[in-house]
Amino acid sequence: MQEIAKSKKKIKIAIISDGTGETASAVSRAIMAQFKSADAYFTRFKNIRSEEQIDSIFKQVAKNHNLILYTIVNQKLREKISLSARAFTIRTIDL
């Protein structure tokens, strides 16, 4: 009997941070370690300080990513991410 290899689901996660993005990356890796049936690919956007940067990020990742995780201190930028997520229908998690 021939064994059929199952292909793992590929998940693309964008990480947006106003710092280095290390915290979000570490949390993401820890979470994904719980899901052996999926391969996660990460794209990190660090030192984000403006709404224009967020606009650019969403245009880049909206079509190819499943999820956006973010660590942003500035309330205005967090609101921008939330609004953009709705506009592009992409899930986000504020870490």
Side-chain angles (χ1 to χ4, degrees):
M1 181 182 282
Q2 189 176 14
E3 190 173 318
I4 300 172
K6 288 187 176 181
S7 63
K8 290 185 174 184
K9 182 177 180 174
K10 294 178 182 176
I11 300 172
K12 293 184 179 180
I13 300 170
I15 297 170
I16 302 173
S17 177
D18 53 5
T20 63
E22 278 301 316
T23 300
S25 292
V27 170
S28 302
R29 286 191 302 273
I31 291 168
M32 291 311 300
Q34 306 295 316
F35 300 96
K36 302 293 184 195
S37 63
D39 283 331
Y41 299 91
F42 301 96
T43 306
R44 191 179 343 177
F45 299 90
K46 54 188 180 177
N47 299 315
I48 303 305
R49 305 271 194 257
S50 72
E51 291 187 22
E52 291 79 15
Q53 288 175 301
I54 291 169
D55 286 337
S56 176
I57 290 167
F58 270 87
K59 287 176 186 171
Q60 290 177 55
V61 305
K63 292 182 181 179
N64 300 316
H65 287 71
N66 306 93
L67 177 66
I68 295 175
L69 303 176
Y70 62 98
T71 56
I72 300 286
V73 174
N74 182 294
Q75 178 65 32
K76 186 176 178 183
L77 295 181
R78 288 197 314 267
E79 289 171 3
K80 175 66 175 174
I81 290 171
S82 181
L83 291 171
S84 296
R86 279 185 241 140
F88 284 93
T89 60
I90 187 167
R91 291 183 177 149
T92 61
I93 299 175
D94 182 357
L95 298 175

